[in-house]
Amino acid sequence: MTTPSNRRAFAALTAPRVAAELGERSVLCLPLGSVEQHGPHLPLDTDTVIAEQFAHRLATYVAGRHDLWVGPAVPYGLSPEHARTPGTITLDLHLYATLIITLVTEYIRSTRVQSLLLINGHGGNRGVLEAVVNQLRHSHGVTTCVLHPAALAAGRVPIDSELPEVHAGMLETALMLALDPDRVRLDLLPSGAVPDPGQRQAVGRLVLDRGLTWPWASDDPALSTGGVIGGDPRKATPELGQKLLTAALDGSAYALNRIDTDSSRGTQKTLRRHHAPHT
């Protein structure tokens, strides 16, 4: 595995160092993944690998500008769309939302951190996380943002894909070739398993349509080929993966700048509250 420096790993700190290293302007990154099928060629923890490795790269990439710390990854997510395939482990909706809210609450309680960046590697987590960050802002008054590395990268790098990149296709395979190439098994892809361009309409209607929301399953032959919803994974390269990672890192600047601004305002409010003159 190509592993970045983990010197910004929260769990590697001792208790006294937490108090010394993390302040009100620090940002705690929490990688969120899943355990689910990713075709015959990618491991079940693909989304977790992408989220965790990206979080560490982001902490290194912005060092000197932003004080990021990476917490242990949450390896389970919401994967009912893959539940009919072997190996998929999906949490209950209420349990997952409660888990994320509880973890954020604990990080706030045990540190001086006021800002959290949730690094999400699994598209199925997205809907509930939108509601969770709004609730956290309302109930805790903290700055919380969800960053989706794969989606962020896809909007910035052209991909010569036969189908929209939804799951286990060219995009995720390229990212894994850049992050953990030894665990990508392109040789396990059946020789006749190529994306069917005729699936494009069904993918657009059932998965990507912003006007309608439908339940869908990754074993539906109208949508996927062997669990893959996207371009032929054999066309993915480590070079494409590196381009995607770089694009996602560059695209994270806006989120971090806004978090820094919100954190600064929050710190000023805290200082005014703590040092208000007595009347």
Side-chain angles (χ1 to χ4, degrees):
M1 179 187 299
T2 304
T3 306
S5 170
N6 66 349
R7 67 181 184 276
R8 308 296 291 181
F10 175 84
L13 293 170
T14 62
R17 295 312 303 167
V18 170
E21 297 282 359
L22 276 71
E24 292 176 342
R25 298 294 296 275
S26 300
V27 179
L28 199 293
C29 297
L30 186 59
L32 307 176
S34 68
V35 176
E36 63 184 31
Q37 77 83 17
H38 273 80
H41 63 298
L42 294 177
L44 297 172
D45 64 349
T46 289
D47 292 340
T48 307
V49 171
I50 291 173
E52 186 172 29
Q53 294 299 314
F54 181 81
H56 281 288
R57 278 166 172 74
L58 183 61
T60 300
Y61 185 73
V62 301
R65 289 175 286 160
H66 303 280
D67 186 35
L68 268 60
W69 293 86
V70 181
V74 178
Y76 300 107
L78 296 175
S79 304
E81 68 273 24
H82 305 293
R84 295 191 296 200
T85 56
T88 295
I89 307 297
T90 182
L91 298 182
D92 170 82
L93 177 66
H94 175 72
L95 174 61
Y96 184 72
T98 301
L99 172 64
I100 301 305
I101 291 171
T102 300
L103 287 173
V104 171
T105 301
E106 283 298 291
Y107 278 116
I108 295 169
R109 179 195 60 76
S110 65
T111 72
R112 291 183 291 157
V113 167
Q114 296 182 354
S115 305
L116 286 100
L117 183 62
L118 307 181
I119 308 289
N120 178 43
H122 172 48
N125 295 337
R126 188 175 192 128
V128 70
L129 289 175
E130 291 179 0
V132 163
V133 293
N134 277 288
Q135 180 169 325
L136 287 168
R137 184 61 180 261
H138 175 73
S139 61
H140 291 68
V142 295
T143 300
T144 311
C145 171
V146 186
L147 193 152
H148 311 274
L152 202 58
R156 290 167 169 77
V157 176
I159 302 175
D160 183 20
S161 177
E162 298 91 341
L163 292 170
E165 287 297 318
V166 175
H167 183 74
M170 280 183 62
L171 188 150
E172 284 193 310
T173 303
L175 287 172
M176 285 296 287
L177 284 170
L179 294 171
D180 201 350
D182 292 341
R183 299 177 66 206
V184 178
R185 295 292 306 277
L186 296 178
D187 59 301
L188 296 180
L189 285 162
S191 58
V194 295
D196 178 4
Q199 295 166 339
R200 178 178 293 275
Q201 183 176 357
V203 172
R205 184 179 69 253
L206 297 177
V207 181
L208 301 178
D209 189 341
R210 299 294 291 177
L212 297 170
T213 300
W214 298 98
W216 56 273
S218 62
D219 64 344
D220 182 349
L223 297 173
S224 72
T225 302
V228 175
I229 306 177
D232 191 340
R234 283 165 288 219
K235 294 169 60 177
T237 64
E239 292 74 22
L240 174 59
Q242 290 294 344
K243 288 180 181 178
L244 291 166
L245 286 170
T246 299
L249 290 170
D250 290 341
S252 303
Y254 168 76
L256 291 172
N257 289 338
R258 178 164 180 175
I259 287 174
D260 190 56
T261 299
D262 285 357
S263 176
S264 178
R265 290 171 179 167
T267 300
Q268 291 171 5
K269 290 177 182 178
T270 300
L271 290 173
R272 285 198 296 269
R273 184 170 64 249
H274 287 174
H275 299 287
H278 295 286
T279 57

